[in-house]
Amino acid sequence: VLGLSNELIHADEFEYRGPDGTYLDFFYSAGKKNVHIEVKLSETEFGASPEDEEHIRTLDGIYSGRESRFASTFCEQRRFLENYQILRTIWQIRLGSDDEAIFVFPKANEYLREGDAVIRSCTVPRLSPHVHIVYLEDLIDSIQVYNRKRSAHYSCRPKIEMSIRGKRRALPFEE
C-alpha cells in the first residue's frame, strides 16, 4: 500500500527510538533497508525546537555534518530548529543505504502545508528519492482498492455439497 517492496520484515516497532534519541511513530527493518514513518493525524504542525543551549549543543554534536543530507538553507541553526521534527526524522536515513523516511498526514490538513513544502525541499538531491509523503486520503483509497481486489479474488468460493438422506444440499463455505 505504501509502495514498498515485499521484503521480509526483520524488526518493527511503534514509538521507535532512533540512535540519536529521536522518537518515530513507526519503524521497520526489511533486509538492508530501514523504514522510518512519522504520522500526523490531527496535529497542526511538525515539531520545532527552542533555540536554547541544549538544542544548539545537540545540533552541533549529533547533527554535525548536516550538509551531507540537507540543502544549505536548512543547515542553518535557526532553520534547522524551526523544522526539527522533520529534519530529525530524515536524519535517520543511513547515507548510502536504501533506507526511507515516510511522512503520513491528511492532504486536507491545511496547517501541515508548510511542513509538506519543507519535506519536499529540504534534502540534497541524492537523498530526495528516499523521502516520501503519503497523504492519508491516498493511503485509505489504496487500502480500499487492495481490499476490493482481494475480496474479488476470494469471492470464488468452492461449492461444497453433501448428501443428507439421499438429497444433495449445498453447504456454506467456511474458511
Side-chain angles (χ1 to χ4, degrees):
V1 172
L2 292 174
L4 300 170
S5 65
N6 290 329
E7 293 183 55
L8 181 64
I9 294 177
H10 299 286
D12 60 348
E13 187 175 339
F14 285 97
E15 292 300 320
Y16 169 77
R17 185 173 183 183
D20 67 341
T22 296
Y23 281 93
L24 299 163
D25 291 323
F26 188 70
F27 162 86
Y28 77 86
S29 178
K32 296 179 181 177
K33 177 193 287 193
N34 292 336
V35 179
H36 313 274
I37 301 175
E38 186 63 37
V39 179
K40 295 286 183 193
L41 297 176
S42 60
E43 293 95 329
T44 58
E45 64 184 4
F46 286 95
S49 176
E51 207 166 337
D52 60 17
E53 189 177 312
E54 176 188 348
H55 287 94
I56 292 170
R57 195 171 40 251
T58 301
L59 184 66
D60 293 338
I62 293 175
Y63 303 115
S64 64
R66 319 183 264 291
E67 302 79 17
S68 62
R69 298 168 195 260
F70 303 110
S72 59
T73 56
F74 290 94
C75 293
E76 298 166 6
Q77 178 178 302
R78 191 179 117 268
R79 192 87 189 266
F80 192 94
L81 295 174
E82 286 174 347
N83 298 287
Y84 201 56
Q85 185 177 28
I86 292 170
L87 300 180
R88 287 185 331 170
T89 299
I90 295 170
W91 183 267
Q92 305 308 308
I93 297 172
R94 298 169 297 173
L95 296 177
S97 73
D98 291 331
D99 291 1
E100 299 191 45
I102 301 172
F103 295 86
V104 179
F105 55 90
K107 187 186 309 185
N109 187 335
E110 63 189 48
Y111 299 108
L112 297 178
R113 289 199 182 125
E114 186 178 319
D116 188 311
V118 169
I119 294 165
R120 293 182 189 283
S121 64
C122 69
T123 61
V124 295
R126 68 184 165 90
L127 203 56
S128 293
H130 299 269
V131 179
H132 312 282
I133 294 172
V134 175
Y135 294 117
L136 187 59
E137 297 88 337
D138 296 339
L139 180 59
I140 291 169
D141 287 346
S142 294
I143 292 169
Q144 289 173 336
V145 167
Y146 173 80
N147 282 338
R148 279 193 296 274
K149 287 180 183 177
R150 187 169 183 263
S151 179
H153 176 74
Y154 289 106
S155 67
C156 299
R157 298 179 180 161
K159 186 175 181 183
I160 300 175
E161 296 180 348
M162 76 178 274
S163 181
I164 301 176
R165 295 190 188 118
K167 295 184 179 180
R168 296 192 66 78
R169 299 177 191 250
L171 298 177
F173 178 80
E174 294 187 26
E175 295 180 37

